[in-house]
Amino acid sequence: MHKSNLDEAADLSLKVVSLSRPSSFSGKIEDVHGKHKEFSAHVRIIAASHFLPFSIAVSEETPTEPFQWKVSRRSGHTAMYAGIRSLSDNPNADCTHVGWIGNYKDLKGEEHSCDDLSHESRTNICKELEKHDAVPVFVDEATANGHYEGYSKQILWPLLHYMSWSDSNPMKSAWWDCYNQVSKTFATAISAIYKDGDIVWIHDYHLLLLPEMFRALNPKATIGLFLHSPFPSSELFRSLPNRKEILYGMLGSTSIGFQTYSYARHFLSSCTRVLGLESTPTGIDNMGNMVAIGVFPIGIDARQVQERRSLPAVQTKMKNLREMFANKRIIIGRDRLDEVAGIKQKLEAFEKFLEMYPEWQNNVVLIQVTQPGQTRQPKLEAKISELVTSINSNYGSLEFMPVMYHHTFLNTDEYMALLNIADLCLITVIRDGMNTGSLEYVVCQQDKHSPLLLSEFTGTAGSVSGAIQINPWDYQGVAQAIDTALRMGPDEKKVRYKEMYRHVMNHDAQYWASTVIQDLRATVLAGQSSSVTPKLDMALFVKGFKASKRRMIMLDYDGTLTPITNIPAQALPPAEMLEALRALCADPRNFVSVISGRDRAFLELHLGDIEGLALSGEHGSFIRYPGGEWINLLAEMDMSWKDEVLSIFEFYTERTVGATIEAKETSITWHFRNADPEYGEFQAKECMNHLENSVVSKRPVEILVGKKCLEVRPISVNKGEIVKRLMGANPKQWDFVVCAGDDKTDEDMFRSLRTIKRSVAGNTSGEEGLNAVSTSVGMGTNWSSMSMRLPPYYFTITVGPPDKRSAAAWHVSSSHDVVEALMLLAASNNAE
């Protein structure tokens, strides 16, 4: 990797937002844009969202086909669109937006599907949108409806917002098919314009399968996914029938961004519980590929809001509203008509407020504006109308109504006017991704500094610290908060507002977009600069085998020759593996051994009939040479510690559902693979502490942390000692050595062979060979790159991802790859 790239990675790592380092900024807005406006190197970005930020209409110049088109901006998703649009303003970035164009409008303003448009008309759409750095995706009407109105809105949206989908509208298999098809269409469309080195940035729940599908077409692509909606707890997410497909689709990304830490934590938990993947607070190990996880709260286009709020049309509407509600305190709310918007809770709390504080009656008005939600909800609409009528009947009069309820789309000028004149903004959503309306309110309150009452269940609650947080279900608490806010003095208002305003202006949509891209690039560069174990060079592997005369082959069992299973007894040897072992053992030039943590009874049962195979069990406690009897290498060792360890393991087994104990002759293992993943890890740490204080500090034993297990064994036992025993007093006799394993117990074998290789090279290769080995090992370079390519050939192979920390020289991804490599050796052996 070039020094310039390393410097860039180091520079970017200081700017990214991650789970382990929350974002903070204390400068001015100019400082933010100075630091994040320009990228240090040129980058091409392809942003993908379900809808393009544009709508199209037929131009008056072409009343008949082929049509020419007029392009206008689409309403909604203003924060996302503003962030993506800001990337194009960067002098070191080119950004192209890919998305569905939706329906078009004819000259009468009526909407039509694009299905029946001629090829020329579609081509003209592409040409017109190209002027706006946009690429349209064309989806037929039936598929688009099943994808958006079906699976996205009826299944995913309710689930992500902690709502179970309606029993009266059950999931249709066709919806899932449409959801798949749209992602495939997007993958094809993006691939058509993709170039090596581009960043692909995918947005929201409509396209959760796209990362994996695009990765299949472009394996080395840099793919970011940002989820604008919440992500529910694993207990709820697991109810989704297509849960695995959705998770694996998301894990095709290089990096996944969330609005809050809790959403990221829920996603990590779902990957662990549903897919059984290992995770850290900042990433997921997806079968060898590390997927980074980050938290990036979205902002708004603050400068655009500032400009819009000062327009003359807005000022006129503000004047009219003040005259209409003269001498009244104004509380505003604007929400979609959905269950999660908390409108019902807001009205209940407002009624409680008027009841508890009668002095505010006739002095306060709640202006509640709603717009259509994700789906039509007649019951909710009826309940809201009932509450509004009840409040106005009990606390209103012919001259004044305390609730002004409007179910309509507000134009932007009216909305800005309301935000400007309000004495209080009341947001009671019970689940929301971010709620950018609260941020727009803050920008509009530069004159009045009015307070903000914000539900603790919004994504914004964690970052807008000057707001008064409320629990929408606590009607009395919300009523008290309304009273407190309306009575708040100017000094406290100013202090709270200053804190909110600083955050909103410093963390706008432009800051959000540039930070996400910077983090994504830093993730890629950090991966390039990290120590990576190269993939096994099969050509060199077979070449070394063919050229050698004396071969030593040492293999772990679980996770190396067979996949890890939840029930250890089910990890049976596959037929092709047995066939390869038999073929290799039949050649007198080969010495083949299986060195396992299994007990000798298991090894004897499944591998004992292979003639010429050496076996070692319980991590080197027992050994059986070909044709011989089992030898207990610890026959003279005191094993009285086992009873004490067994009682501790039994204590934790009783308290950890799914945990089991495996008692061997020379060691004891506590397995928690079938326990709750998070609780199992917690109990394992507690058990370790207990063992270290009670047993390890007093007895000659050690604790080995394996894959979902703890093993206590004598301190003198490890696989490295068995390797030394098998290699013998004269390791120079072996001119081809293979050792494969997957976990920490196998690292002892790799380290032993590294030492042996060094001594052999020093004795046989002269000063040049010794220098090569010393340089590769001593300077930290992976030893496969130099010494391991020199005869005698030592192939130490770890099973797992390339960035796994290991003393091995090579890696393969799975046990299947190990078996495949052995079959190659067996085939070349037979061909000689």
Side-chain angles (χ1 to χ4, degrees):
M1 187 175 184
H2 295 299
K3 183 180 184 301
S4 60
N5 287 344
L6 288 171
D7 291 341
E8 184 178 2
D11 178 56
L12 292 179
S13 67
L14 298 175
K15 301 177 181 177
V16 301
V17 181
S18 69
L19 294 180
S20 59
R21 186 174 63 256
S23 65
S24 62
F25 188 82
S26 57
K28 300 177 181 178
I29 188 168
E30 290 77 12
D31 298 329
V32 176
H33 288 280
K35 289 185 178 181
H36 292 272
K37 189 73 173 177
E38 295 186 13
F39 299 129
S40 54
H42 190 270
V43 59
R44 270 175 40 104
I45 302 162
I46 302 173
S49 63
H50 174 238
F51 276 113
L52 281 176
F54 306 105
S55 57
I56 56 171
V58 174
S59 172
E60 292 85 351
E61 299 173 0
T62 53
T64 59
E65 289 214 59
F67 296 128
Q68 295 296 326
W69 303 95
K70 295 187 301 183
V71 174
S72 57
R73 292 214 168 270
R74 185 186 300 273
S75 61
H77 304 290
T78 53
M80 178 182 73
Y81 291 151
I84 295 172
R85 188 167 59 251
S86 71
L87 296 173
S88 296
D89 299 332
N90 195 300
N92 280 331
D94 295 324
C95 183
T96 301
H97 200 146
V98 178
W100 184 46
I101 192 59
N103 295 331
Y104 73 90
K105 290 185 178 180
D106 63 18
L107 294 176
K108 297 179 180 179
E110 297 176 354
E111 291 194 357
H112 301 275
S113 168
C114 294
D115 291 1
D116 299 327
L117 288 177
S118 66
H119 176 74
E120 291 85 355
S121 291
R122 290 193 179 201
T123 301
N124 290 340
I125 292 175
C126 297
K127 289 179 179 179
E128 192 64 33
L129 288 172
E130 187 178 2
K131 301 174 185 177
H132 300 271
D133 297 318
V135 174
V137 174
F138 294 100
V139 182
D140 68 85
E141 188 173 15
T143 302
N145 188 68
H147 165 265
Y148 184 62
E149 298 294 340
Y151 197 82
S152 294
K153 290 177 69 171
Q154 302 292 338
I155 304 300
L156 278 183
W157 189 89
L159 179 71
L160 294 174
H161 289 80
Y162 284 75
M163 299 165 61
S164 182
W165 46 86
S166 173
D167 293 333
S168 60
N169 195 12
M171 185 189 305
K172 299 176 182 178
S173 60
W175 290 350
W176 174 248
D177 295 337
C178 293
Y179 191 80
N180 268 277
Q181 184 55 50
V182 167
S183 291
K184 290 177 183 177
T185 304
F186 268 76
T188 303
I190 297 171
S191 294
I193 62 172
Y194 173 80
K195 296 179 181 178
D196 289 344
D198 289 357
I199 290 176
V200 178
W201 192 18
I202 300 166
H203 290 266
D204 224 5
Y205 62 91
H206 313 92
L207 300 172
L208 296 182
L209 299 180
L210 179 54
E212 183 183 34
M213 290 181 178
F214 186 76
R215 174 80 60 199
L217 299 175
N218 304 275
K220 296 183 179 180
T222 300
I223 304 171
L225 171 66
F226 189 83
L227 189 65
H228 294 259
S229 68
F231 196 92
S233 67
S234 61
E235 283 73 18
L236 184 60
F237 184 80
R238 283 187 293 176
S239 65
L240 182 67
N242 310 110
R243 57 192 186 176
K244 289 187 176 181
E245 292 89 337
I246 292 292
L247 290 176
Y248 278 128
M250 297 175 71
L251 290 173
S253 309
T254 306
S255 174
I256 305 174
F258 295 89
Q259 299 275 18
T260 71
Y261 172 73
S262 62
Y263 302 159
R265 180 168 52 82
H266 292 160
F267 175 75
L268 291 169
S269 178
S270 292
C271 289
T272 300
R273 295 171 184 273
V274 176
L275 303 180
L277 300 178
E278 300 288 339
S279 68
T280 69
T282 56
I284 302 269
D285 181 357
N286 180 26
M287 297 177 288
N289 296 312
M290 286 303 298
V291 181
I293 304 297
V295 173
F296 310 94
I298 197 171
I300 61 172
D301 189 345
R303 289 181 170 177
Q304 192 273 336
V305 174
Q306 275 189 324
E307 293 170 2
R308 190 65 186 257
R309 68 178 288 268
S310 303
L311 292 177
V314 174
Q315 298 299 315
T316 300
K317 292 184 181 295
M318 289 170 57
K319 180 183 177 183
N320 294 336
L321 287 169
R322 287 194 185 103
E323 291 174 355
M324 186 182 304
F325 299 106
N327 302 319
K328 307 293 182 186
R329 306 294 292 276
I330 300 172
I331 302 175
I332 66 161
R334 185 200 188 201
D335 307 275
R336 286 184 177 274
L337 191 57
D338 290 312
E339 287 281 358
V340 297
I343 301 171
K344 183 173 75 70
Q345 287 78 9
K346 182 185 299 186
L347 293 171
E348 296 271 17
F350 184 68
E351 186 172 30
K352 189 72 175 177
F353 162 73
L354 295 176
E355 176 191 327
M356 292 174 61
Y357 303 98
E359 64 272 24
W360 286 112
Q361 294 175 18
N362 298 316
N363 292 310
V364 174
V365 59
L366 170 62
I367 303 176
Q368 176 62 46
V369 180
T370 64
Q371 58 191 65
Q374 290 287 326
T375 57
R376 181 86 190 282
Q377 299 186 49
K379 291 183 179 179
L380 178 62
E381 292 177 24
K383 180 62 178 176
I384 289 173
S385 297
E386 180 183 327
L387 283 169
V388 170
T389 301
S390 173
I391 296 170
N392 286 336
S393 298
N394 293 329
Y395 300 100
S397 64
L398 290 175
E399 295 83 16
F400 173 70
M401 295 294 178
V403 178
M404 301 289 291
Y405 178 70
H406 299 274
H407 181 51
T408 182
F409 282 102
L410 275 186
N411 67 48
T412 306
D413 290 343
E414 289 175 326
Y415 177 52
M416 288 290 140
L418 277 177
L419 294 180
N420 274 297
I421 67 165
D423 295 290
L424 176 65
C425 180
L426 180 57
I427 297 174
T428 56
V429 296
I430 57 178
R431 188 65 59 181
D432 202 359
M434 204 60 193
N435 197 281
T436 55
S438 61
L439 308 181
E440 293 168 338
Y441 170 76
V442 170
V443 175
C444 289
Q445 281 292 320
Q446 294 175 55
D447 301 323
K448 296 190 65 172
H449 304 158
S450 296
L452 169 65
L453 261 60
L454 186 62
S455 166
E456 64 187 64
F457 300 111
T458 64
T460 322
S463 51
V464 185
S465 57
I468 300 174
Q469 292 194 20
I470 54 175
N471 176 3
W473 302 99
D474 179 8
Y475 300 151
Q476 183 171 329
V478 175
Q480 291 171 344
I482 294 173
D483 178 68
T484 300
L486 292 176
R487 297 180 190 275
M488 188 179 294
D491 291 340
E492 184 180 353
K493 281 184 182 181
K494 189 172 182 179
V495 170
R496 285 180 173 273
Y497 179 77
K498 185 178 179 181
E499 182 67 24
M500 293 189 292
Y501 181 76
R502 184 190 64 83
H503 171 82
V504 173
M505 299 305 292
N506 288 349
H507 298 81
D508 59 6
Q510 292 78 6
Y511 175 90
W512 164 76
S514 63
T515 303
V516 173
I517 298 301
Q518 296 276 33
D519 178 81
L520 187 54
R521 298 180 72 203
T523 298
V524 173
L525 289 171
Q528 292 172 353
S529 62
S530 64
S531 177
V532 173
T533 305
K535 189 173 183 180
L536 177 62
D537 186 336
M538 287 295 186
L540 181 64
F541 189 57
V542 174
K543 174 187 173 184
F545 181 82
K546 287 183 176 180
S548 57
K549 297 179 180 178
R550 290 281 290 160
R551 305 147 176 166
M552 170 64 72
I553 302 174
M554 296 171 283
L555 308 165
D556 173 47
Y557 184 78
D558 288 288
T560 303
L561 292 177
T562 62
I564 296 289
T565 60
N566 288 337
I567 302 175
Q570 292 180 346
L572 303 178
E576 59 270 20
M577 182 266 281
L578 295 173
E579 181 182 346
L581 289 180
R582 287 193 175 94
L584 291 170
C585 289
D587 188 338
R589 293 174 293 179
N590 304 333
F591 186 93
V592 185
S593 61
V594 173
I595 306 173
S596 173
R598 296 281 188 159
D599 59 35
R600 51 183 174 173
F602 180 92
L603 295 174
E604 192 70 52
L605 175 63
H606 295 291
L607 302 174
D609 64 336
I610 300 177
E611 188 175 347
L613 179 67
L615 297 173
S616 176
E618 300 193 24
H619 300 298
S621 300
F622 296 91
I623 190 169
R624 192 206 73 173
Y625 291 100
E629 298 295 323
W630 283 97
I631 302 171
N632 185 353
L633 302 178
L634 301 177
E636 305 300 321
M637 183 168 285
D638 178 18
M639 293 290 174
S640 60
W641 54 267
K642 289 179 65 178
D643 291 338
E644 192 173 352
V645 171
L646 182 62
S647 66
I648 293 174
F649 278 167
E650 287 175 343
F651 175 86
Y652 284 94
T653 301
E654 291 171 359
R655 290 157 177 79
T656 311
V657 177
T660 57
I661 299 172
E662 182 184 6
K664 305 172 187 176
E665 294 181 64
T666 60
S667 63
I668 306 178
T669 305
W670 189 69
H671 296 277
F672 58 94
R673 182 170 297 278
N674 294 322
D676 178 273
E678 294 177 3
Y679 187 63
E681 292 285 353
F682 171 79
Q683 287 291 76
K685 291 176 183 176
E686 293 293 306
C687 183
M688 246 182 100
N689 291 335
H690 195 159
L691 288 168
E692 287 171 349
N693 294 327
S694 303
V695 181
V696 176
S697 60
K698 305 172 186 176
R699 301 295 192 107
V701 295
E702 64 180 351
I703 304 171
L704 190 69
V705 181
K707 291 184 176 178
K708 301 292 184 181
C709 69
L710 297 177
E711 180 169 317
V712 181
R713 67 182 186 184
I715 202 166
S716 60
V717 173
N718 65 68
K719 292 182 177 182
E721 294 302 314
I722 287 295
V723 165
K724 294 176 185 177
R725 178 183 287 262
L726 293 176
M727 293 291 286
N730 182 26
K732 291 187 294 182
Q733 62 180 306
W734 310 106
D735 53 359
F736 181 84
V737 178
V738 176
C739 181
D742 71 306
D743 64 15
K744 293 180 181 179
T745 63
D746 304 311
E747 294 298 316
D748 293 327
M749 297 196 291
F750 303 149
R751 283 189 286 268
S752 292
L753 285 174
R754 174 178 287 190
T755 302
I756 293 171
K757 169 69 175 181
R758 184 184 299 173
S759 65
V760 169
N763 292 333
T764 63
S765 302
E767 188 172 339
E768 182 180 347
L770 180 60
N771 288 340
V773 178
S774 298
T775 300
S776 65
V777 176
M779 298 300 291
T781 304
N782 193 297
W783 60 321
S784 66
S785 62
M786 295 181 183
S787 66
M788 298 309 292
R789 294 181 180 273
L790 302 172
Y793 296 101
Y794 278 47
F795 287 89
T796 50
I797 306 166
T798 185
V799 181
D803 56 355
K804 172 183 176 182
R805 297 192 64 173
S806 174
W810 307 91
H811 94 279
V812 293
S813 298
S814 66
S815 59
H816 174 76
D817 296 330
V818 175
V819 174
E820 190 176 80
L822 295 178
M823 292 171 67
L824 279 176
L825 296 187
S828 65
N829 201 56
N830 294 332
E832 295 179 3

